Amino acid sequence: MKKILIADDHPIVVQGLKFIITDENPDIIVDSVETCRSLLDLLNNNLYDILLLDVSLPDMIGLDALVEIKRKYPKLPVLILSLYPEDQYAIISMKLGADGYVAKKSAPAELLQAIKQVFRGEKFISPSLALRLAHSLGDNQIIKFHEKLSSREFQVMRMLVEGEGIKNIAG
């Protein structure tokens, strides 16, 4: 029996995701957590086939959690779920080890397709992101600044934008 863990702090989103997943696949067990601390605690004691990870959780940025999870559980497939558009987080998420990126505005069929692909051991790239990546391969394409950053540089930039102080960022 397959097990999916959802890490999202919005109960209505979690209930909707559970419904979408189990309506199509009633044999899948779906658990959920609201914080990264709960997520890491649960992963220490349970095996899951896929993690659906929100980019923004109350106690830790999801991308920081992704790095930690991939370090501790490198074989655990992670699908990033986010309100943020693909052009802001999808590529950096994939660089950090995500197995796919699904925007929360996506149709349920896209989420189910992503889960099926990840269950098969494949990466998931939405049609819109695939098109964007294909266009970026052209000789004259302008790559957005944040796509050139390393994961650490992106983290520092994000903290600066969020108003964090220099000493806090250095810590």
Side-chain angles (χ1 to χ4, degrees):
M1 188 167 291
K2 301 279 187 183
K3 289 177 71 177
I4 294 177
L5 178 58
I6 300 170
D8 194 300
D9 60 326
H10 297 97
I12 197 164
V13 171
V14 171
Q15 289 302 324
L17 291 170
K18 284 182 178 181
F19 177 79
I20 290 166
I21 294 165
T22 58
D23 186 51
E24 184 82 14
N25 307 286
D27 58 328
I28 293 178
I29 295 171
V30 182
D31 293 331
S32 64
V33 293
E34 294 182 2
T35 65
C36 286
R37 180 166 306 284
S38 300
L39 169 62
L40 294 171
D41 289 344
L42 198 57
L43 288 176
N44 282 331
N45 301 312
N46 298 279
L47 294 174
Y48 288 93
D49 297 294
I50 295 178
L51 168 62
L52 303 181
L53 178 63
D54 188 7
V55 167
S56 180
L57 293 170
D59 59 340
M60 183 184 277
I61 301 297
L63 295 180
D64 295 339
L66 173 63
V67 172
E68 178 75 10
I69 290 162
K70 283 300 187 174
R71 186 180 61 76
K72 286 186 171 181
Y73 311 99
K75 294 185 182 199
L76 175 64
V78 179
L79 277 174
I80 298 294
L81 294 172
S82 179
L83 287 171
Y84 300 107
E86 287 177 331
D87 64 341
Q88 292 180 11
Y89 281 94
I91 294 172
I92 192 76
S93 296
M94 300 293 276
K95 283 182 181 179
L96 293 175
D99 295 275
Y101 187 96
V102 179
K104 287 183 179 177
K105 69 176 185 169
S106 300
E110 188 170 306
L111 173 65
L112 293 172
Q113 177 63 35
I115 290 170
K116 286 177 188 173
Q117 281 187 228
V118 172
F119 273 146
R120 290 191 307 255
E122 301 170 357
K123 301 278 186 187
F124 174 77
I125 297 177
S126 70
S128 60
L129 181 58
L131 184 60
R132 190 170 187 284
L133 289 171
H135 285 298
S136 74
L137 297 175
D139 294 339
N140 297 327
Q141 280 298 319
I142 297 172
I143 298 174
K144 292 184 179 181
F145 173 74
H146 69 276
E147 292 174 1
K148 295 179 186 179
L149 300 175
S150 70
S151 61
R152 178 60 70 198
E153 291 168 335
F154 185 80
Q155 180 184 31
V156 169
M157 180 191 73
R158 192 185 67 242
M159 293 174 85
L160 286 169
V161 169
E162 290 172 355
E164 294 286 339
I166 301 290
K167 288 183 181 178
N168 192 26
I169 293 171

